Amino acid sequence: MTNKLKYFIGNWKMFGNTADLKKIYQINRFCSSFKKFKKSNKVIMCVPSTLIYLFSSKVKSKIISIGAQNCHFNEVEGPFTGSVNSSMLKKVGAKYIILGHSENRLEGDTNKIIIRKIEIALKNNLKVIFCIGETMQEKLKRKTFLILKKQLRILNKKKFNPNNIIIAYEPVWSIGSGKIPKSYYVKNVLKFIKKECKKIFKKKYLPALLYGGSVNAKNVRNFSSINELNGFLIGSASQSPKKFIDIIRNCYK
Ligand code: PGA
């Protein structure tokens, strides 16, 4: 597979407990001994907020970092029942954060809210995994590029450092459905995202680009010809160390 592949990001969603620390150790052991896994490659496990402190204090590995999955948009602490903000997540050891995930967009995260979250997260030195993607309806209406452009446009409003942003293209219809787009479709979309990023960042260095949505050990090879791809955002398969390890292994076959 392309040597540009660098990131294997897990999104545990609302699953997991403290005993699952052993899953992280298992993945770490594999990556440390797998010769094809380069030093510059990274595994980032975005776990529930309840596990960040334990996992980040126990896992002292250059390969694996612990990330969060979402946060409140308020910069300082406040009366927001049930919420945590990015500064709190950073303080307990998160290094990355997923923002703009379609499951959170469904719960009410608008582009306006997401840009605020991105801004504050970056201010707190969290690297942002920014998710974008179209619904099936939008795809059928051939609106994919239009939707992605709108979602990306929010990055234009601020002068963000592209080094601190990873963009995950996740077609909403693919998340948790077992359906994946054809590889030429993903390639075209990533090319489009890259073109838009060039306009936004006006720099040589652009954010890394990931694909996410029903990635598993079998279908991961379908993406092998996509040069624009820098890695994967993996949901349900990331909760099983075996499945996650098989994805990494199959990428390098
Ligand atoms: P999935 O989830 O791999 O289970 O489809 C991906 C995601 O939600 O990031």
Side-chain angles (χ1 to χ4, degrees):
M1 200 173 251
T2 156
N3 58 7
K4 288 190 178 164
L5 225 52
K6 180 173 175 192
Y7 294 102
F8 297 89
I9 306 185
N11 174 11
W12 279 16
K13 310 196 180 194
M14 201 172 72
F15 292 95
N17 56 60
T18 50
D20 291 328
L21 176 61
K22 62 178 183 299
K23 296 184 178 177
I24 309 274
Y25 286 146
Q26 204 176 325
I27 294 165
N28 189 40
R29 270 198 307 276
F30 166 77
C31 293
S32 319
S33 61
F34 186 50
K35 296 256 166 12
K36 291 177 183 167
F37 198 86
K38 285 183 275 157
K39 280 208 178 96
S40 56
N41 292 6
K42 270 207 89 60
V43 168
I44 300 156
M45 274 305 171
C46 297
V47 298
S49 307
T50 47
L51 302 179
I52 294 174
Y53 180 71
L54 175 73
F55 286 15
S56 61
S57 51
K58 294 277 183 192
V59 180
K60 300 289 174 214
S61 158
K62 287 207 171 93
I63 295 168
I64 303 194
S65 295
I66 302 299
Q69 298 173 12
N70 195 13
C71 66
H72 195 273
F73 59 78
N74 218 51
E75 185 169 4
V76 293
E77 292 172 23
F80 301 102
T81 306
S83 303
V84 287
N85 69 3
S86 38
S87 129
M88 294 159 102
L89 294 167
K90 176 74 187 177
K91 280 183 193 144
V92 290
K95 298 237 166 23
Y96 292 79
I97 184 163
I98 295 174
L99 292 172
H101 192 284
S102 64
E103 285 156 9
N104 302 130
R105 289 180 193 260
L106 260 181
E107 285 171 338
D109 272 13
T110 58
N111 283 335
K112 211 170 153 191
I113 293 174
I114 296 165
I115 185 66
R116 175 118 182 98
K117 291 184 178 184
I118 295 179
E119 202 182 351
I120 313 277
L122 292 173
K123 219 169 156 180
N124 280 291
N125 294 317
L126 288 169
K127 294 197 183 206
V128 171
I129 302 147
F130 175 44
C131 301
I132 57 173
E134 83 286 5
T135 62
M136 183 47 98
Q137 242 188 351
E138 289 158 348
K139 180 179 188 281
L140 292 174
K141 286 186 183 157
R142 297 182 187 279
K143 281 189 171 166
T144 300
F145 286 178
L146 190 77
I147 295 298
L148 295 176
K149 199 174 177 150
K150 261 193 199 160
Q151 292 172 333
L152 283 167
R153 202 184 294 153
I154 62 170
L155 298 178
N156 220 346
K157 300 214 167 93
K158 314 273 169 189
K159 291 238 169 330
F160 294 135
N161 179 350
N163 276 304
N164 296 331
I165 298 178
I166 296 170
I167 296 176
Y169 167 58
E170 296 205 304
V172 180
W173 50 272
S174 176
I175 296 173
S177 67
K179 292 184 196 134
I180 58 158
K182 298 261 187 300
S183 68
Y184 71 82
Y185 184 82
V186 176
K187 189 173 174 73
N188 278 344
V189 168
L190 294 187
K191 268 187 178 168
F192 174 78
I193 296 174
K194 217 168 169 179
K195 202 174 81 200
E196 289 303 305
C197 283
K198 276 185 187 156
K199 287 189 217 156
I200 294 168
F201 293 101
K202 298 183 182 75
K203 283 186 184 166
K204 259 195 181 163
Y205 186 83
L206 297 172
L209 301 184
L210 312 183
Y211 169 78
S214 294
V215 174
N216 62 35
K218 269 193 191 152
N219 65 27
V220 77
R221 298 280 308 158
N222 291 16
F223 301 96
S224 60
S225 60
I226 307 175
N227 276 319
E228 291 76 11
L229 197 63
N230 305 118
F232 298 98
L233 180 53
I234 303 155
S236 69
S238 70
Q239 292 153 30
S240 148
K242 181 178 177 332
K243 288 181 183 169
F244 194 78
I245 287 169
D246 283 347
I247 289 174
I248 298 179
R249 211 195 310 265
N250 288 351
C251 276
Y252 294 97
K253 260 194 180 153

